Amino acid sequence: MQTIKNYINGELLEPFGKQYIDNYNPSTGKVYSLIPDSDERDVELATKAALIAFPSWSAMPKDERSRIMVRISELIEKNLDRLAIAESMDNGKPISLAKTVDIPRAASNFYFYATSILHYASESHAMEDTAINYTVRTPVGVAGCISPWNLPLYLFTWKIAPAIASGNCVVAKPSEITPMTAFLLSELCIEAGLPKGVLNIVHGYGHKVGAAITAHPKIPLISFTGGTKTGAEIARVAAPMFKKLSLELGGKNPNIIFADCDFEKTIRTTLQSSFANQGQICLCGSRIFIERSIYEKFKIEFVERVKKLKVGNPADADSKLGAVVSKSHMEKVLSYVDIAKQEGGTVLCGGNQVKLDGEFADGYYIAPTVIEGLTYDCRTNQEEIFGPVVTLMPFDTEEEVLVYANSTQYGLAAILWTENLTRAHRMANNLHSGIVWINCWLLRDLRTPFGGVKSSGVGREGGFEALHFFTEPKNVCIKLK
Ligand code: NAD
């Protein structure tokens, strides 16, 4: 059985306590590797290594840092198949998805920030002929990066790449539920010649490793992606220490479909935005609002196609859904189907665990589920389920659907289907959301700001926003006369 190691000061190390956590393969329900159960001693060692590496890494010319990062990106591409298989085994997602989305995006994250840093300039503000101000942006020192299990390498690298590109050193913690590709990344960083201590990866539980990173006095910045409750706990600990915080949290995104949409495109993309990655993407549109005049037509066509989505072995090319990430997550998702029924919902398809044969008999599979007959303000439509479960609701007017869409505590992403340009702009303006996709979903330009409002988070990632976050601006004012 493979034993994962921490990556500290350029070396692969056992945790201090020599304790390990079982790592499950969700597609079989079996333990297949061991994860270090690290604690604050490992975080301390990693932080020391990062502090020692910081002066030379931050002083290294940008193009040298950039070249090392490009090498990491190329190594990720070279290892695409191996990483995709590992991601699928750790997370349960179809290999085809890991191969086309997760791993290519991890390579792009490194490439994007390796090159962005070369074009990152600071401002200057002239006060006519009195004075000139210029802004100097310096890295903060040691950045703490904590990521979730749903898009493991994709989101882990989305934080690490801008952090190290801008000259910081990092203490990072991947999810203890999906640690494997972060471990493989540490091997690739060694191969790429990343100087020791620049990136340190400490594996283990959130309440031990994550909490130790958050509370560490020498880590002045935390970039976190995960659940809203965990984000609140991190903010509680970090705020009195005046740490810089970026929190990318939960979502409960509306998918609003007007009668004048391109029906075929809408259905096709809605299948994706509902069930990609088993519905475990913070950007999935789990509340589908449909203009009443096409409600029945949409429902019949959508449900018919959902029933045809194959739930199966993640290695099979035709599996559209693999396993959800863990037994407890499967139970949580299915408990929401019960809640939906109690709230008066009708399950149109799915709603149950899927039992596969042979070695997959104990895997965590859920049939893609569509529910109707619920009010917009019931628990099923207000709380994040984060699985392959969507609800359908009719609406009559723009004003009404805006109330429904904006009714949750979340505000991460919204999806809108209409061929009416004026309405599209009007709706986009009125949706309480960090991202609005019109006639598309998950179309990402890495230069754009990424993040949510309300309980979906604080701050923005992406493009220069991330480089702003990982640097401290200093204004220098020079009097000219
Ligand atoms: P989680 O909050 O349980 O865990 C996320 C990370 O935080 C893990 O590495 C975990 O070990 C760590 N952690 C747990 N407790 C901690 C603590 N007290 N201090 C510090 N770190 C701690 O989230 P999850 O279940 O892994 O991920 C699912 C959630 O992530 C969903 O709510 C989803 O919407 C959200 N998410 C948001 C985005 C986004 O960009 N907004 C992207 C992906 C996932």
Side-chain angles (χ1 to χ4, degrees), residues 272-294:
Q272 292 287 321
S273 64
S274 303
F275 302 117
N277 206 35
Q278 298 72 245
Q280 302 165 132
I281 302 181
C282 53
L283 306 163
C284 279
S286 55
R287 297 179 294 146
I288 307 177
F289 299 107
I290 306 142
E291 195 166 357
R292 197 176 301 277
S293 59
I294 61 160

Side-chain angles (χ1 to χ4, degrees), residues 286-462:
S286 55
R287 297 179 294 146
I288 307 177
F289 299 107
I290 306 142
E291 195 166 357
R292 197 176 301 277
S293 59
I294 61 160
Y295 183 84
E296 284 302 317
K297 181 179 170 209
F298 181 91
K299 175 175 108 177
I300 291 163
E301 184 67 29
F302 184 65
V303 170
E304 200 180 305
R305 293 205 209 180
V306 173
K307 284 180 179 163
K308 289 187 189 143
L309 295 174
K310 186 183 159 196
V311 180
N313 171 5
D316 289 347
D318 60 344
S319 291
K320 294 286 183 260
L321 284 86
V324 299
V325 78
S326 66
K327 187 161 187 280
S328 61
H329 190 59
M330 176 177 71
E331 285 162 359
K332 179 199 144 182
V333 173
L334 291 174
S335 78
Y336 271 97
V337 176
D338 291 336
I339 291 171
K341 286 179 191 160
Q342 284 158 23
E343 290 179 322
T346 304
V347 176
L348 299 173
C349 64
N352 55 290
Q353 183 181 357
V354 175
K355 284 280 183 189
L356 301 185
D357 296 330
E359 62 172 313
F360 304 104
D362 294 327
Y364 318 130
Y365 299 92
I366 300 179
T369 302
V370 182
I371 302 172
E372 72 166 352
L374 292 165
T375 57
Y376 75 92
D377 55 356
C378 66
R379 279 186 65 192
T380 313
N381 278 324
Q382 292 291 314
E383 297 174 15
E384 188 183 40
I385 301 174
F386 214 54
V389 177
V390 297
T391 61
L392 306 184
M393 280 164 282
F395 69 88
D396 293 299
T397 66
E398 246 178 78
E399 293 72 25
E400 179 192 6
V401 78
L402 269 171
V403 171
Y404 298 168
N406 290 337
S407 67
T408 74
Q409 63 164 313
Y410 300 107
L412 186 54
I415 312 161
L416 195 56
W417 292 95
T418 177
E419 294 292 302
N420 179 332
L421 183 65
T422 315
R423 169 157 60 204
H425 285 302
R426 191 166 53 233
M427 289 288 294
N429 197 36
N430 290 323
L431 282 162
H432 302 163
S433 176
I435 301 156
V436 180
W437 274 296
I438 299 172
N439 300 332
C440 59
W441 178 67
L442 210 54
L443 188 54
R444 293 279 292 117
D445 179 327
L446 300 189
R447 294 170 300 181
T448 58
F450 178 91
V453 298
K454 304 194 281 183
S455 299
S456 289
V458 175
R460 292 292 180 274
E461 297 184 325

Side-chain angles (χ1 to χ4, degrees), residues 124-359:
S124 134
H125 301 92
M127 299 166 75
E128 287 74 45
D129 58 355
T130 317
I132 188 157
N133 296 272
Y134 63 88
T135 310
V136 186
R137 287 191 173 269
T138 46
V140 294
V142 182
C145 297
I146 303 173
S147 60
W149 51 256
N150 65 324
L151 300 166
L153 193 63
Y154 174 135
L155 290 174
F156 194 57
T157 53
W158 183 230
K159 300 184 173 308
I160 290 166
I164 64 174
S166 46
N168 300 283
C169 293
V170 168
V171 177
K173 191 198 103 57
S175 170
E176 65 277 23
I177 302 169
T178 54
M180 188 56 82
T181 49
F183 171 59
L184 299 177
L185 176 70
S186 40
E187 295 179 337
L188 299 181
C189 289
I190 294 170
E191 193 179 337
L194 185 70
K196 61 182 189 179
V198 171
L199 171 62
N200 303 275
I201 301 175
V202 185
H203 294 271
Y205 289 118
H207 67 272
K208 287 166 87 171
V209 177
I213 293 173
T214 308
H216 201 291
K218 296 276 169 53
I219 302 181
L221 174 154
I222 305 288
S223 171
F224 170 79
T225 300
T228 294
K229 261 196 189 147
T230 316
E233 169 61 13
I234 289 175
R236 189 188 65 76
V237 174
M241 300 171 83
F242 306 109
K243 296 195 180 204
K244 267 188 121 172
L245 277 184
S246 165
L247 303 173
E248 299 293 339
L249 309 177
K252 184 77 181 174
N253 310 304
N255 177 5
I256 303 168
I257 299 170
F258 284 95
D260 66 357
C261 67
D262 179 323
F263 193 77
E264 176 54 30
K265 264 194 215 157
T266 305
I267 290 254
R268 233 183 304 130
T269 308
T270 296
L271 287 169
Q272 292 287 321
S273 64
S274 303
F275 302 117
N277 206 35
Q278 298 72 245
Q280 302 165 132
I281 302 181
C282 53
L283 306 163
C284 279
S286 55
R287 297 179 294 146
I288 307 177
F289 299 107
I290 306 142
E291 195 166 357
R292 197 176 301 277
S293 59
I294 61 160
Y295 183 84
E296 284 302 317
K297 181 179 170 209
F298 181 91
K299 175 175 108 177
I300 291 163
E301 184 67 29
F302 184 65
V303 170
E304 200 180 305
R305 293 205 209 180
V306 173
K307 284 180 179 163
K308 289 187 189 143
L309 295 174
K310 186 183 159 196
V311 180
N313 171 5
D316 289 347
D318 60 344
S319 291
K320 294 286 183 260
L321 284 86
V324 299
V325 78
S326 66
K327 187 161 187 280
S328 61
H329 190 59
M330 176 177 71
E331 285 162 359
K332 179 199 144 182
V333 173
L334 291 174
S335 78
Y336 271 97
V337 176
D338 291 336
I339 291 171
K341 286 179 191 160
Q342 284 158 23
E343 290 179 322
T346 304
V347 176
L348 299 173
C349 64
N352 55 290
Q353 183 181 357
V354 175
K355 284 280 183 189
L356 301 185
D357 296 330
E359 62 172 313

